[in-house]
Amino acid sequence: MSQEFVSADYTYEHKTVDYAAADGSHLLRTGGTIAWRFNNPGNLRPAKPGVAIYGAIGVGKTKNNGEFLIFSSYEKGRAEKKALLRRKYNERTIYTMLAGVPDKNGNVVQGYAPESDNNDPQAYADSISTATGFPTTTKISDLTDAQLDSVLDAMEKKEGFNNEKSTRQEKVVNTTTVTISDGAKPKANLSVKVDIGDTSHQTKTNSKGQLPLITHLDIGKTVNIFVASVEGEWKKIHDFVMGDSSNSFVLFNNLRTFVAPTDLKKVKNDEPSKRQPLHYAIQPGDTLGKIAKIYKTTVDEIKKDNPQIKDERKIFPSQVISIYGSLAAPTNSVAKQAPPKLEQIPKKKVEPVAGPAHSAPAPAPKIEEKKPPKPPAEKVELARSKDGKGEPIALLQPDQQRAPWMVVAIAEAKRWKGTTEDVIEKTSNYHELVGAHESSMVGTKNAWCSSFVNYCLSTASPSYAKWSLPQRANDISKSSNFVEIKTPVFGAIALISTHHVTLVYAKSGSNFICLGGNQHDQINFSPFAKGVRFFVPVAYLEFAKKDIEKANTLAEHSAEELNKEFEIKVKSKKGNATR
């Protein structure tokens, strides 16, 4: 069997497909026929422009022939063609499968190769009959799987799948993926300098804390990675040698170089401005008393500003509340400085790019290096008042690190309150929201648990990287963006027997209580006990380790209690679809 890939991009100018593998390597495939280039022996097309279906990993827009699906392997493409013949043409003969059949009104229902597309269905059917020995009147449903395979062989020969062999070219390019984290969250928009041999490139991390892929075009060369220190100097944080295999690194940089979001101060003699609260996500183990003490307010004030809190003893992790408080910042806050301003670099993504048939992806362009200036020496004071009169300068938003994707999951659970998938998908098809492009969330073949988890990760603030096939649960175990942990922590992604993923929220006896999608076709809290593995994003690993070291245990809540609290009416369903 040929190698399977997880994603694909196509540039029709060079007739080149860039296939990305789970190990980070890339295969550039050029020339040949469209069917060979796209692993699509059936020349299957998307139902909607640009939307991958039938398990395809991409869509290729050709210059003159429209769009075709791109499959992860030849075997996958052939299997989908075979499934299409069984699904759509099973009750037709070999000839009518190709030519079409009249409906009850006398209109022709299109076939696989109709005359309207400049085909000769009779000649096509005759060629299949000659190759297989089956009369053109043979019904597809009368063929065994082995016999249908011989029909597929004849169709591939007729359609010229293996034509233009002399123009086929393939080149494997290995890469290194670098993620930079502060231990709890990815460091987005961080200025980085990458030295490859004597050449320097200046770039920035993306929203997931990742650098553009570093392609191994010069095996044996040393790569040095630098970030800007608070003093404005380049600080080396890692180096490696380009090898003949792909790599993935997670680098931890704990420099505090972020600007805190603040509210505007009150100006005298102006019309009183609307009170601006900070938004606080409740943490495991929090009480309203503890929160009130930190922010110099009272439990009653918090309850007054958050009418959704009916009972101060019933607050739950990752619920977001509003706090006004009387201080400019929590008493345990740490002052932060603005980052040094580096040379402005065009925001151009540097990734492997499909070039001419004989070329490999181009490396990042060489950019003239300039030493970043030192940051301003001005000190940021967080709790100072103007002229000592008690006017806070600004209200600092808390830097909350614990599993921020759980805030998204809770918000979605509260939003839908037990609504089933057929209603949810009308406004929130999680497959499409994460780029999986499944046509629907409804049905046993369209399970959306994995897409829901990836939606929570990718829309959190900060956002975290998804796994390569976000609609496939087991792909988390193959992704370099995630790492397995043995002890569950709040927010860990639980993989249940390779076919379902969900988010760890609490525990109840020997059960883990998890919040997830496609649990009885809903977003709800459900218990799981057996066949559970736990994963966290690589950018979150150090924080998870600290949670484990401190023995920060999960809160005790039953699924029934949590579903009742969030007004989720669980609808039991046998054979619930998960994957």
Side-chain angles (χ1 to χ4, degrees), residues 66-129:
E67 292 186 341
F68 294 90
L69 299 174
I70 305 176
F71 291 97
S72 58
S73 66
Y74 162 77
E75 291 80 5
K76 178 66 175 175
R78 181 175 167 113
E80 289 300 333
K81 177 179 180 178
K82 187 175 183 179
L84 176 66
L85 296 187
R86 287 292 193 202
R87 180 173 64 249
K88 189 173 181 179
Y89 304 111
N90 205 42
E91 297 308 314
R92 299 191 194 183
T93 66
I94 291 175
Y95 172 74
T96 57
M97 177 263 290
L98 297 164
V101 295
D103 61 16
K104 60 182 180 180
N105 298 318
N107 299 314
V108 175
V109 179
Q110 194 169 15
Y112 192 87
E115 287 186 22
S116 58
D117 284 352
N118 298 317
N119 295 297
D120 185 342
Q122 186 61 62
Y124 197 153
D126 288 341
S127 69
I128 293 175
S129 181

Side-chain angles (χ1 to χ4, degrees), residues 512-532:
F512 296 103
I513 308 303
C514 299
L515 174 59
N518 203 40
Q519 294 179 171
H520 298 289
D521 296 341
Q522 303 169 296
I523 301 169
N524 64 30
F525 294 90
S526 296
F528 297 93
K530 297 179 180 179
V532 186

